[in-house]
Amino acid sequence: MLDRVEIEAKLKEVSKDKCVAFAVRSAMRVLPILALPRKNDLKAKLIVKSSEVFWFWGNDKCFYLLTLFRAYSFDIGFVMDKSSFKYHARYKICSSEAADEADDSYYAADVAFAADAAVDATDLTSDKNYAAHAASYAAEYSYCSARKINFESFIEQAVQNDLRELASLTAQEFLQQPLWTKTISDEWMQLYKAFMEQIETLNMGFDVWLSLYNDLVTGCPIDINKLKFFNNIPQELEAQGVAKVNAQIKNLIQNNGSQPLNRARTIFIGYGEAGKTSLIRALHGEKVVKGKEAMTAGIEVREWPVPDTDIQAHFWDFGGQVVFHSTHKFFLRSSCVYVVVINARADINNSEQAEYWLEHVKVFGGSAPVLIVGNKVDEASVHLQMQTLSQKYPNIKGFYPLSCTHAKTSHRHQFVQFKQALTHELQEVGIHQMLFTPAQANVLEELREYSPDHAFLSEQEFHRICDKHGIINEGELNREWLVDIFDKLGVMLHFDELKAFNDSYMLNPRWLTHGVYTLMNAKQARLNEQDMVSILKAAPVQDEHQHLLSYPPDKCLFISKAMQRFRLCYPLPHGANTLLIPALLCDELPRYPPELHDEQTLRFEFAFNGFLPRNLIGEFMVSRHEEIKNDLQSQRGAVFVSKTLQAEALVEADYHRRLLVMQVYGRDAKDYLMILYDVMIAVFGDLALDYREWVDLPRSALDTNSLERELLKLGNKVEKAEYKQLIETAKDNQAKFISASGLKYDVKKVLGYFLSESEQSRQGITNNFYGANPTVTQNKDQQVSNQTVNISHSTIHGSVLAAEKIENCLNTLQSSPADNDIKQLLTELLKHIAELNSKVPAKVLDPITRDAEDLVNEVNSDNPRKRNSLFSLEGIKDAAIALGETAKPIIEIAEKISPLLQSF
Ligand code: GDP
Ligand code: MG
């Protein structure tokens, strides 16, 4: 038996590097187990039908396989070369997803959990003890997956051997020892061979990873230069898919290339007058004089060489018009640092200013690092509740009160500190940059030299440059690929609509952004070609290299195409080349048809907890512009009429209440609602939005048994239900939905009102449910208990779902074969959770209930798994700690349960 606690204790005595090396070695040993067929019978033929290869990951098998390999190489990078390593939360997210997704498999989930635990061990924000803890789990998971094929004794030996070797070798030497010290068992070799064959059937270029893996198995020395190729995969390359990622790694290895992109972006945001432009000036060493700065029109881009690196940072200075922020999406995203500038002197409270802009960063910048600058401290002091802010926005890297006007004099010291911090962050984002082969890098260099004088590049010219540098035009990484990756990295913009132009590629983002913002700043919602030409004619500017940016008429069309691609505008129907920019329309909603207030109108709401970006409604309108009815549109929404269905809809934003509301009516309203819903979700894209979805509960679905008294209380009010909760209720076979006021609604009727039958079955709601639900969750092998436990519904405000789940859990426990002590403690725990239901909102309670449900199911299963149960228990405990005093008993009981789970 492998004793995890003992392993953890031993690992605590060695360095973090050694823990990581130990973890990744443990994880890698069990990788070939993924080759087992559905039935884990080693004696059965290991040749698996190609459709069955890595079946447990479904359609995402290639992505998750890559994830596992990347997890290993990421750990190896940590041990071998700290200087080119940065902890990446994304690795962690992907590896735990890989494990969750493989949960259907008897053995694969543990293989992935081992890799996931190994990634945990590298976490730079945690201490050495945590690394030892995670590494011990990596060993335990590898042991668990091996046990399922009776292979555990080999793992145990290897682990014990590793623990012995740890003391005498350095972490790097230890990592490069052969994976198996004794001869490798035949079974493992057989599996490994099958694994390699199966990978080959995927035809995705995984051989590069297999070769790295094989080096580790056999103890070949690791080539640090080569390792960079495996670890520098930026988001932009990842977005192109597994085959492209693998092909580029192979390409880099073969051509020994390692030219980094050497570009990063810094986005300066904050209210107007905060001092963004002044700060950029000060960073360039220029003098800032109070009152001398003209307001920034649109956006400015300036370059800044990052000290001690070859990286050029592009500083983007937004003029304050928030609607432009959506255009970020089209330029380099993965190497971006945000600077939020707040104005010490402004009337708006400092913390409120910061929060407002931090919400922006969260939505548009994802997990990009943020520095906060409190400017103008020469005139007023700045105070921020940094602890609260940092908790809410973990990407904040620091707060710098400073003065741009006194950056070289009295406040020099603070300014230098900020400059150092910014430099550090830019160096950090530059660590895992996109790498290019020498040939690719030559093309890039030539484009860069070409771009200041030429905003555009023709297709022929691009081919000429590729020919010159020997970029061939076939295989995975052909010229089309290069265009795509350059586009994603913001080096050279290209989109299909531009094929019609002779000059197909746009090289100078400054030309484009300046053009777009100039048009937007003209504040004219409807623009025809002539308007555009004359507005832009008046606008030529010089870039920082004193090159004139001019806008000849034939190029103006390019800007309008780009604006359509950014979803900033759309062509008006029969409009003789007229564009409409929703963001510039009036704010007043036009008069809408009276039918909308009809009883039959379906109402769906997206309610935002944080910030509701202003560009969403405009983008939605652009996406469906062909259906906008009779010019019934404004900055805040429009009326749409379906071209194929009999339905109309009013979709609008309410910024005051932070809502996006869709009201749909007509015979096919249900179907149209679902179409518009999908469009809205597509508009949200990968923005990190925080929202919930609500539907109006139709009165006709009210339970007829509802008391008159309650109905009276309701008056004319229409109640709402959370859409997802409603769907879950139906999936859970519940017949009734209990609203916030305690009224019961017939689930079947409510859903029938919103969703067509086909949509219901797509959502996994079966036809034969509704009401047939037994209160007792039956355990397959056991007799059904007659006793049911009831929790009074009278106290329920929050979550009916949670109450039902707890009730089911209690019943499950009663009939469970589990140990009596555990059963008793769990019952107490569940009762305390049930009590919380009347005290905390559903949003808070639902995750706790889910964890409790998982825990009970795990305890009740034939073969309970320790990590899973501990994991659920941790979830409950964390949530309880966050709730404070009210949830104290829960923490106490959880503490008592924890040691009992250790024996699983
Ligand atoms: P932006 O709109 O955020 O780009 O702000 P600007 O850089 O244009 O600055 C707004 C005004 O504040 C200008 O008149 C600046 O000269 C002034 N300003 C900038 N930094 C400071 C500072 O540190 N102290 C004081 N007193 N004024 C400043
Ligand atoms: Mg400015």
Side-chain angles (χ1 to χ4, degrees):
M1 222 10 224
L2 190 121
D3 185 344
R4 191 198 61 77
V5 178
E6 197 181 304
I7 295 173
E8 181 174 337
K10 282 189 182 155
L11 289 173
K12 277 186 177 159
E13 287 164 19
V14 300
S15 68
K16 180 168 178 175
D17 288 21
K18 289 188 182 184
C19 292
V20 174
F22 172 87
V24 68
R25 283 168 64 80
S26 295
M28 284 193 300
R29 282 196 190 98
V30 286
L31 179 68
I33 289 183
L34 297 182
L36 283 175
R38 250 178 223 268
K39 287 212 170 66
N40 63 319
D41 181 4
L42 248 191
K43 291 190 191 74
K45 266 197 168 161
L46 277 171
I47 299 167
V48 173
K49 269 198 293 183
S50 59
S51 58
E52 284 274 286
V53 166
F54 312 129
W55 56 274
F56 37 83
W57 280 324
N59 290 335
D60 297 323
K61 61 179 76 168
C62 294
F63 174 74
Y64 286 125
L65 187 64
L66 180 66
T67 296
L68 251 56
F69 278 125
R70 287 181 73 185
Y72 303 150
S73 72
F74 178 66
D75 274 32
I76 295 163
F78 177 91
V79 178
M80 298 301 294
D81 185 13
K82 286 265 179 10
S83 66
S84 64
F85 174 89
K86 182 179 163 239
Y87 179 71
H88 230 298
R90 180 150 173 77
Y91 281 87
K92 168 67 191 154
I93 294 168
C94 291
S95 58
S96 62
E97 262 177 29
D100 286 344
E101 288 298 315
D103 217 15
D104 283 347
S105 148
Y106 190 50
Y107 46 83
D110 284 341
V111 173
F113 270 126
D116 183 45
V119 171
D120 270 345
T122 63
D123 189 346
L124 294 178
T125 57
S126 305
D127 64 1
K128 185 168 95 63
N129 286 349
Y130 181 76
H133 179 72
S136 69
Y137 269 110
E140 174 151 301
Y141 277 119
S142 77
Y143 183 85
C144 288
S145 58
R147 189 170 56 190
K148 289 166 184 161
I149 54 165
N150 300 323
F151 187 64
E152 71 272 28
S153 60
F154 291 97
I155 296 289
E156 197 173 345
Q157 271 175 22
V159 165
Q160 294 305 347
N161 203 69
D162 271 10
L163 288 172
R164 272 194 302 278
E165 281 195 340
L166 267 179
S168 56
L169 299 172
T170 66
Q172 298 189 352
E173 287 164 350
F174 167 63
L175 182 68
Q176 296 176 84
Q177 294 299 303
L179 211 49
W180 304 96
T181 29
K182 305 251 164 49
T183 38
I184 307 178
S185 86
D186 285 347
E187 277 118 322
W188 193 88
M189 273 317 287
Q190 226 178 316
L191 264 176
Y192 184 28
K193 209 167 137 256
F195 177 70
M196 289 191 285
E197 282 166 9
Q198 291 182 13
I199 280 197
E200 203 157 335
T201 65
L202 297 174
N203 207 6
M204 281 280 169
F206 274 111
D207 41 326
V208 282
W209 293 99
L210 280 179
S211 131
L212 175 73
Y213 183 72
N214 200 51
D215 284 355
L216 289 150
V217 171
T218 52
C220 260
I222 296 162
D223 179 345
I224 295 181
N225 276 329
K226 219 163 99 176
L227 198 61
K228 283 194 191 131
F229 306 150
F230 290 96
N231 280 341
N232 288 23
I233 301 171
Q235 249 173 297
E236 290 86 355
L237 178 57
E238 195 183 291
Q240 293 186 318
V242 176
K244 299 280 192 279
V245 169
N246 291 346
Q248 176 66 352
I249 295 172
K250 190 174 195 164
N251 198 2
L252 290 168
I253 293 173
Q254 282 172 351
N255 293 294
N256 195 24
S258 60
Q259 299 277 335
L261 176 69
N262 280 335
R263 287 290 184 276
R265 288 205 305 144
T266 307
I267 292 178
F268 293 77
I269 53 172
Y271 287 108
E273 295 282 291
K276 299 176 290 294
T277 310
S278 303
L279 183 58
I280 292 174
R281 275 190 189 289
L283 283 164
H284 281 89
E286 296 162 12
K287 196 167 163 51
V288 177
V289 182
K290 184 181 167 185
K292 282 277 152 67
E293 191 60 55
M295 204 181 86
T296 314
I299 183 177
E300 290 295 327
V301 184
R302 285 187 74 174
E303 283 189 18
W304 192 66
V306 182
D308 304 322
T309 66
D310 293 326
I311 301 175
Q312 287 284 342
H314 285 191
F315 285 175
W316 287 53
D317 177 5
F318 278 91
Q321 293 93 328
V322 177
V323 69
F324 299 152
H325 285 246
S326 60
T327 54
H328 294 200
K329 294 188 281 215
F330 299 94
F331 303 97
L332 183 67
R333 279 188 106 183
S334 66
S335 306
C336 193
V337 175
Y338 278 82
V339 177
V340 169
V341 185
I342 58 174
N343 187 348
R345 281 196 51 206
D347 303 334
I348 309 169
N349 166 294
N350 296 161
S351 282
E352 272 174 34
Q353 281 188 61
E355 279 226 38
Y356 179 81
W357 293 104
L358 287 165
E359 281 292 320
H360 268 78
V361 177
K362 194 167 119 191
V363 171
F364 291 110
S367 57
V370 195
L371 300 174
I372 305 179
V373 165
N375 189 31
K376 308 194 187 181
V377 292
D378 53 294
E379 296 198 342
S381 52
V382 211
H383 298 286
L384 288 184
Q385 282 144 357
M386 277 314 288
Q387 211 176 349
T388 325
L389 284 179
S390 298
Q391 255 170 13
K392 200 161 166 197
Y393 307 97
N395 306 341
I396 297 177
K397 299 293 176 185
F399 168 47
Y400 301 88
L402 51 84
S403 160
C404 292
T405 46
H406 298 70
K408 289 184 177 174
T409 52
S410 55
H411 293 70
R412 188 171 172 278
H413 179 64
Q414 288 145 309
F415 186 76
V416 168
Q417 272 189 333
F418 165 69
K419 192 171 160 185
Q420 279 169 353
L422 179 62
T423 303
H424 174 75
E425 289 309 324
L426 285 166
Q427 285 167 347
E428 285 274 296
V429 298
I431 283 182
H432 293 291
Q433 287 188 79
M434 175 84 194
L435 295 178
F436 292 104
T437 64
Q440 293 165 347
N442 287 339
V443 173
L444 183 65
E445 195 45 45
E446 188 152 347
L447 293 177
R448 279 177 183 163
E449 280 168 16
Y450 193 82
S451 68
D453 295 317
H454 304 84
F456 294 89
L457 181 76
S458 70
E459 220 172 321
Q460 293 98 304
E461 190 62 12
F462 180 69
H463 282 296
R464 191 192 61 75
I465 296 174
C466 287
D467 281 337
K468 182 172 153 195
H469 298 292
I471 301 278
I472 50 160
N473 200 15
E474 54 198 48
E476 246 354 301
L477 304 182
N478 55 17
R479 290 174 188 177
E480 206 178 309
W481 166 79
L482 200 60
V483 168
D484 189 51
I485 193 78
F486 282 166
D487 178 71
K488 289 196 163 66
L489 292 166
V491 170
M492 175 171 107
L493 292 194
H494 167 71
F495 27 100
D496 281 346
E497 295 94 321
L498 297 182
K499 288 237 168 85
F501 292 81
N502 186 27
D503 293 325
S504 295
Y505 309 123
M506 156 86 242
L507 287 178
N508 188 340
R510 193 171 200 277
W511 185 91
L512 179 64
T513 47
H514 186 79
V516 171
Y517 298 120
T518 305
L519 287 184
M520 298 286 287
N521 274 334
K523 304 257 175 343
Q524 214 176 305
R526 289 173 179 78
L527 287 174
N528 63 30
E529 252 172 64
Q530 201 42 50
D531 299 330
M532 277 191 273
V533 171
S534 50
I535 293 168
L536 288 167
K537 197 170 164 193
V541 283
Q542 282 187 338
D543 69 10
E544 60 188 295
H545 308 292
Q546 276 71 54
H547 290 101
L548 189 71
L549 303 173
S550 68
Y551 296 86
D554 64 318
K555 294 288 190 287
C556 290
L557 204 54
F558 192 102
I559 296 180
S560 77
K561 293 284 178 205
M563 284 173 69
Q564 289 175 52
R565 192 203 188 200
F566 296 162
R567 294 202 287 227
L568 283 171
C569 67
Y570 58 85
L572 278 180
H574 339 288
N577 290 330
T578 301
L579 291 179
L580 188 126
I581 306 171
L584 299 178
L585 285 169
C586 70
D587 197 32
E588 273 301 293
L589 284 173
R591 230 161 33 85
Y592 289 119
E595 307 94 282
L596 265 180
H597 305 291
D598 189 352
E599 282 277 287
Q600 294 307 311
T601 302
L602 305 185
R603 197 165 187 283
F604 195 103
E605 275 181 17
F606 297 89
F608 289 75
N609 293 326
F611 139 85
L612 164 54
R614 292 251 167 186
N615 60 308
L616 296 180
I617 193 74
E619 290 197 22
F620 181 88
M621 287 162 67
V622 174
S623 302
R624 299 305 281 191
H625 71 264
E626 281 155 344
E627 293 173 9
I628 293 179
K629 183 180 180 179
N630 305 336
D631 209 19
L632 285 170
Q633 53 196 339
S634 81
Q635 197 184 105
R636 287 202 286 124
V639 178
F640 299 82
V641 50
S642 169
K643 289 206 190 294
T644 49
L645 303 166
Q646 223 185 76
E648 297 197 5
L650 164 61
V651 183
E652 60 184 321
D654 178 342
Y655 294 108
H656 191 58
R657 291 159 62 214
R658 280 182 284 183
L659 297 177
L660 286 174
V661 185
M662 308 203 285
Q663 296 183 71
V664 192
Y665 55 100
R667 191 195 69 191
D668 303 325
K670 289 183 212 173
D671 294 317
Y672 200 37
L673 174 65
M674 279 305 123
I675 291 173
L676 297 180
Y677 173 84
D678 287 345
V679 174
M680 191 62 93
I681 297 295
V683 164
F684 293 173
D686 59 356
L687 296 181
L689 299 167
D690 181 8
Y691 65 89
R692 291 164 82 182
E693 301 166 354
W694 297 91
V695 291
D696 276 7
L697 287 165
R699 269 172 177 265
S700 55
L702 261 173
D703 192 3
T704 42
N705 294 332
S706 290
L707 294 173
E708 218 163 288
R709 182 162 47 87
E710 287 168 327
L711 285 174
L712 274 177
K713 218 167 48 193
L714 188 62
N716 283 330
K717 234 174 67 200
V718 178
E719 291 197 283
K720 292 185 199 314
E722 202 172 342
Y723 178 57
K724 296 244 156 73
Q725 199 178 353
L726 207 56
I727 300 278
E728 283 308 313
T729 312
K731 281 190 186 164
D732 271 4
N733 285 358
Q734 310 287 330
K736 301 284 177 237
F737 181 86
I738 303 179
S739 70
S741 69
L743 286 175
K744 285 185 184 159
Y745 288 80
D746 185 311
V747 175
K748 187 174 182 170
K749 281 190 192 155
V750 176
L751 280 185
Y753 189 73
F754 281 98
L755 301 179
S756 63
E757 270 174 30
S758 60
E759 182 58 30
Q760 292 194 31
S761 69
R762 195 175 71 106
Q763 299 256 12
I765 301 163
T766 46
N767 256 337
N768 57 358
F769 81 100
Y770 301 122
N773 176 41
T775 2
V776 181
T777 311
Q778 270 182 248
N779 203 322
K780 260 189 284 149
D781 313 320
Q782 282 144 22
Q783 285 207 323
V784 186
S785 159
N786 289 329
Q787 291 172 290
T788 57
V789 183
N790 272 304
I791 296 171
S792 159
H793 277 237
S794 61
T795 55
I796 294 171
H797 299 318
S799 175
V800 185
L801 202 66
E804 302 276 359
K805 275 187 175 160
I806 294 168
E807 200 167 310
N808 284 342
C809 285
L810 285 167
N811 289 320
T812 307
L813 272 180
Q814 277 201 349
S815 57
S816 163
D819 179 88
N820 266 338
D821 288 349
I822 293 186
K823 275 168 66 171
Q824 203 180 343
L825 284 169
L826 279 176
T827 308
E828 266 179 61
L829 184 81
L830 287 166
K831 288 191 172 156
H832 281 288
I833 295 176
E835 274 174 27
L836 275 185
N837 205 358
S838 56
K839 297 177 192 154
V840 303
K843 191 173 81 180
V844 178
L845 194 74
D846 283 344
I848 307 181
T849 322
R850 230 177 300 132
D851 276 330
E853 198 182 22
D854 288 346
L855 178 58
V856 168
N857 286 339
E858 199 64 52
V859 167
N860 188 44
S861 76
D862 295 340
N863 189 6
R865 288 175 297 182
K866 177 166 31 174
R867 176 106 198 262
N868 286 16
S869 32
L870 282 174
F871 190 71
S872 308
L873 189 67
E874 282 301 314
I876 298 171
K877 229 163 71 180
D878 287 349
I881 290 169
L883 283 172
E885 201 54 32
T886 1
K888 210 167 159 212
I890 296 186
I891 307 172
E892 285 163 9
I893 302 169
E895 300 282 4
K896 287 186 200 155
I897 296 176
S898 182
L900 300 177
L901 302 180
Q902 297 291 347
S903 63
F904 286 171

